Amino acid sequence: MKQIICIIILATCLVGFVNLKSTTPTYTNAVLTEGNFEPIAVIELFTSQGCSSCPPADKLLAKTIKNNSHKMVFALSFHVDYWNRLGWVDPFSKAQFSTIQNNYSTALHTNGPYTPQMIVNGKKEFVGSDDEALGNALQNALRSKASSHFKAITTTLDGNKIKINYTLEGAFANSNVQVALVSLMETTVVKRGENGGHTLINDNVVRQLVTTDAATVGEIILDAIPNLAKEQTAIIAYVQQKNTQQITGAVRVIL
């Protein structure tokens, strides 16, 4: 009789343990692509909610995302932090993103960072609200095949961690793999600064960016953003040459 009671108690504990484990959400999404090295265009917008010239560029980026949803066009909105001292602290800004823009300034021999600035595939830069310049840059980028290619990428969301596993092929020597956690849309009521009193909408906002040496097989772990629904989150990964900053391949996964 005692053995039966012990077995019942043990079984109850095991059921409780399984139910406890099941409360931790786990999602896996995989993208398998053919090795055709399709042309890609990665748009990086350097912007700030504290800059009155930036909303037109933010809107141009949103329009471009909408109009190119079925193309290999990848948009990233990097919010820099050097406008924060002028009355409004952009909640999505990071010093890391300002450093990235500074690195581009050196590589592209510009007079220095500014907002809004767009850069396509790490090699063509222009004022971020210039629709014609963006159109020309996209046309040029999509004429040539990518030289590196994500053969496969898998993202697993497990509780508060996102694990990304990828397989890379092509030419990626002396390159990094950049993995961005992107919020597809953010709406902010700006209370102070040059955009004070306005409600701003920002698309494809980079919330985290992790850099690692490019390799045939790799794994990266990110922190999930609290209260951000997985349906409103994407991973954009791209291969970037260390010396020139040129981007040679990219992939996107919606979580």
Side-chain angles (χ1 to χ4, degrees), residues 40 47 114 130 148 170 172 189 226 243 245 248 253:
I40 58 99
T47 185
Y114 64 91
D130 191 333
S148 59
F172 51 84
V189 178
N243 295 334
Q245 302 295 305
T248 62
V253 183

Side-chain angles (χ1 to χ4, degrees), residues 95-122:
Q96 176 192 11
F97 303 155
S98 300
T99 298
I100 291 171
Q101 191 183 27
N102 275 312
N103 292 340
Y104 272 127
S105 181
T106 300
L108 300 177
H109 307 289
T110 67
N111 292 327
Y114 64 91
T115 55
Q117 181 186 33
M118 277 187 182
I119 301 175
V120 174
N121 281 358

Side-chain angles (χ1 to χ4, degrees), residues 16-73:
F17 176 75
V18 171
N19 289 337
L20 177 63
K21 290 289 288 182
S22 65
T23 62
T24 302
T26 300
Y27 310 98
T28 299
N29 197 1
V31 173
L32 300 176
T33 56
E34 297 181 359
N36 56 8
F37 293 84
E38 185 177 347
I40 58 99
V42 176
I43 308 167
E44 295 171 278
L45 170 63
F46 293 92
T47 185
S48 171
Q49 292 183 351
C51 165
S52 61
S53 300
C54 286
D58 299 328
K59 291 178 181 178
L60 176 58
L61 189 73
K63 182 181 78 171
T64 303
I65 293 169
K66 181 179 179 180
N67 292 343
N68 293 275
S69 59
H70 300 296
K71 297 181 181 179
M72 295 289 283
V73 175

Side-chain angles (χ1 to χ4, degrees), residues 53-247:
S53 300
C54 286
D58 299 328
K59 291 178 181 178
L60 176 58
L61 189 73
K63 182 181 78 171
T64 303
I65 293 169
K66 181 179 179 180
N67 292 343
N68 293 275
S69 59
H70 300 296
K71 297 181 181 179
M72 295 289 283
V73 175
F74 308 90
L76 298 161
S77 180
F78 288 102
H79 288 229
V80 298
D81 71 338
Y82 49 82
W83 280 93
N84 290 353
R85 65 184 183 276
L86 299 180
W88 176 252
V89 177
D90 188 327
F92 309 114
S93 64
K94 290 188 177 184
Q96 176 192 11
F97 303 155
S98 300
T99 298
I100 291 171
Q101 191 183 27
N102 275 312
N103 292 340
Y104 272 127
S105 181
T106 300
L108 300 177
H109 307 289
T110 67
N111 292 327
Y114 64 91
T115 55
Q117 181 186 33
M118 277 187 182
I119 301 175
V120 174
N121 281 358
K123 56 185 179 181
K124 180 63 178 178
E125 73 87 22
F126 47 90
V127 175
S129 54
D130 191 333
D131 196 342
E132 183 178 358
L134 175 58
N136 291 335
L138 290 179
Q139 285 184 1
N140 290 333
L142 295 174
R143 284 177 182 151
S144 303
K145 285 193 173 185
S147 58
S148 59
H149 174 71
F150 286 90
K151 188 176 182 179
I153 184 167
T154 301
T155 60
T156 301
L157 174 61
D158 190 354
N160 62 352
K161 296 294 181 182
I162 304 171
K163 183 169 71 173
I164 300 101
N165 294 96
Y166 68 84
T167 302
L168 196 63
E169 60 183 350
F172 51 84
N174 197 33
S175 297
N176 288 323
V177 170
Q178 310 275 20
V179 179
L181 176 62
V182 171
S183 174
L184 299 181
M185 180 180 291
E186 294 286 352
T187 301
T188 308
V189 178
V190 179
K191 298 180 180 179
R192 294 175 296 278
E194 292 190 1
N195 291 312
H198 295 276
T199 299
L200 301 183
I201 298 176
N202 298 111
D203 291 68
N204 283 26
V205 178
V206 179
R207 303 296 299 273
Q208 288 182 59
L209 182 74
V210 174
T211 304
T212 187
D213 289 334
T216 303
V217 177
E219 178 179 285
I220 289 175
I221 296 177
L222 302 175
D223 294 322
I225 303 298
N227 303 319
L228 188 61
K230 69 182 183 66
E231 295 83 4
Q232 289 297 314
T233 310
I235 297 293
I236 296 178
Y238 52 103
V239 181
Q240 187 165 36
Q241 295 177 351
K242 294 180 180 180
N243 295 334
T244 66
Q245 302 295 305
Q246 292 185 14
I247 296 172

